């Protein structure tokens, strides 16, 4: 009987955390760019400013919170997506159609976005601390310290501030990453030119990273405009309609920097995930 290995439910969290350790400086610079009140520095300029002011290690500020976020947000969405997908495959003896992958990816991403909101909040604060004056810094020791202090000082509700946007973004990113990766890998294997190896995983993950960037960039733009605003927007809908007046291109400002951050993270995540699956996955008989 032919055998294959499938991922364990927690592999997604481990692989995403490993990818986050490699791409954390890019994520930190993105947060700095999004939270500056006016456009004073671009990507390279902001990186130079951080290193010059605080040193190279400052690029890894908030790493514990970033890993904590991946172990909540990514572990949840991967666990939901891969568990349901593999169960349906064993029951139906056929691959899921793409529309079902999209729906499952959106559901898993929405749930993961909600679960990961507290860690995301602490992650943004810890990364942003570097550029604040010393007297205004929160100085969280690590992610757990940040979570406990927000809970004690600002209440449990504050931990889930922005959960709607985080969940919606999680759904879009997961459709781009999980659903598009599965479909891309399936199409690459179907050509017969490449086996299930690291090159196939790389090609499929690059496509998935590009899809995820394009899908979530409009929401990122709206989130950034809301963060940069000085109370000129009444809410998300007002910001959305105001941005739409500038034309479709307005929703894709900063697409290249966003891709520079998200595509490598997606590639590393799936390369690590596939290696974990092939070496330590659960053996099932087809």
């Amino acid at each position: 009987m032919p055998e294959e290995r499938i991922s364990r439910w927690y592999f997604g969290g481990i692989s995403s955390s490993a990818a986050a350790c490699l791409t954390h400086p890019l994520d930190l610079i993105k947060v700095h760019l999004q939270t500056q009140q006016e456009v004073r520095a671009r990507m390279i300029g902001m990186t130079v400013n951080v290193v010059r002011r605080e040193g190279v290690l400052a690029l890894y500020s908030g790493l514990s919170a970033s890993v904590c976020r991946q172990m909540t947000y990514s572990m949840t969405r991967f666990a939901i997506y891969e568990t349901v997908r593999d169960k349906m495959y064993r029951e139906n003896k056929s691959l899921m159609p793409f529309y079902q992958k999209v729906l499952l990816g959106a559901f898993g991403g929405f749930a993961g976005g909600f679960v990961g909101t507290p860690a995301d909040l602490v992650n943004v604060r810890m990364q942003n601390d570097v550029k604040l004056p010393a007297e205004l810094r929160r100085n969280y020791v690590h992610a757990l310290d940040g979570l406990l202090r927000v809970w004690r000082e600002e209440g449990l509700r504050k931990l889930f501030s922005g959960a709607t946007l985080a969940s919606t973004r999680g759904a879009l990113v997961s459709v781009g990453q999980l659903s598009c990766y599965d479909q891309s890998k399936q199409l690459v294997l179907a050509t017969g030119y490449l086996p299930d190896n690291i090159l196939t995983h790389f090609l499929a993950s690059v496509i998935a990273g590009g899809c995820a960037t394009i899908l979530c960039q409009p929401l990122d733009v709206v989130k950034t405009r809301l963060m940069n605003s000085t109370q000129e927007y009444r809410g998300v809908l007002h910001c959305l309609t105001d941005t739409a007046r500038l034309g479709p291109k307005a929703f894709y400002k900063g697409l290249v920097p966003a891709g520079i951050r998200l595509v490598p993270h997606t590639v590393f995540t799936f390369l690590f995930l596939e290696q974990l699956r092939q070496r330590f996955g659960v053996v099932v008989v087809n």
Side-chain angles (χ1 to χ4, degrees), residues 217-218 221 243-253:
Q217 185 61 14
V221 168
T243 306
R245 292 195 188 98
L246 301 175
K249 288 184 179 179
F251 287 106
Y252 287 94
K253 284 183 179 179

Side-chain angles (χ1 to χ4, degrees), residues 30 45 52 78 114 143 187 211 215 224 254:
K30 182 209 72 169
R52 185 183 296 154
F78 271 94
F114 181 79
L187 292 173
C211 292
L215 282 173
T224 302

Side-chain angles (χ1 to χ4, degrees), residues 148-170:
L148 291 173
R149 281 181 55 187
V150 174
W151 188 359
R152 286 199 305 262
E153 296 167 12
E154 303 173 60
L156 181 62
R157 193 170 183 177
K158 185 63 179 179
L159 280 172
F160 289 91
S161 175
T164 302
L165 271 178
S167 298
T168 305
R169 186 184 183 279

Side-chain angles (χ1 to χ4, degrees), residues 107-148:
F107 175 75
F110 192 87
F114 181 79
V115 171
T117 298
D120 196 17
L121 175 75
V122 173
N123 183 34
V124 169
R125 288 186 174 188
M126 290 181 72
Q127 290 178 356
N128 204 41
D129 244 14
V130 176
K131 69 174 188 178
L132 294 176
E135 65 275 9
L136 296 178
R137 294 182 181 180
R138 295 180 174 91
N139 294 318
Y140 298 148
V141 180
H142 45 69
L144 184 58
D145 177 56
L147 291 169
L148 291 173

Side-chain angles (χ1 to χ4, degrees), residues 1-4 90 93 283-286:
M1 297 290 287
E3 294 181 349
E4 67 170 337
R90 289 195 300 272
K93 301 298 181 184
V283 177
V284 294
V285 179
N286 292 322

Side-chain angles (χ1 to χ4, degrees), residues 45-58:
M46 182 66 78
T47 306
V48 172
N49 288 341
V50 171
V51 172
R52 185 183 296 154
R53 193 170 61 244
E54 300 287 337
V56 176
L57 290 179

Side-chain angles (χ1 to χ4, degrees), residues 27-42 46 120 124 128 131 162 165-166 169 213 216-233 235-236 238-240 242-243 246 250-255 257-258 261:
D27 192 43
L28 179 135
I29 295 303
K30 182 209 72 169
V31 170
H32 283 207
L33 289 171
Q34 287 184 333
T35 54
Q36 59 183 342
Q37 293 302 310
E38 55 188 67
V39 181
R40 292 191 297 268
R42 300 293 182 183
M46 182 66 78
D120 196 17
V124 169
N128 204 41
K131 69 174 188 178
L165 271 178
R169 186 184 183 279
T213 303
C216 73
Q217 185 61 14
L219 197 64
D220 269 353
V221 168
V222 172
K223 184 180 76 172
T224 302
R225 287 172 70 94
L226 281 169
M227 292 172 72
N228 286 341
S229 69
T230 53
Q231 298 184 337
E232 65 259 36
Y233 298 123
V236 176
H238 182 209
C239 182
L240 194 66
D242 188 69
T243 306
L246 301 175
F251 287 106
Y252 287 94
K253 284 183 179 179
L255 183 65
R261 185 196 72 84

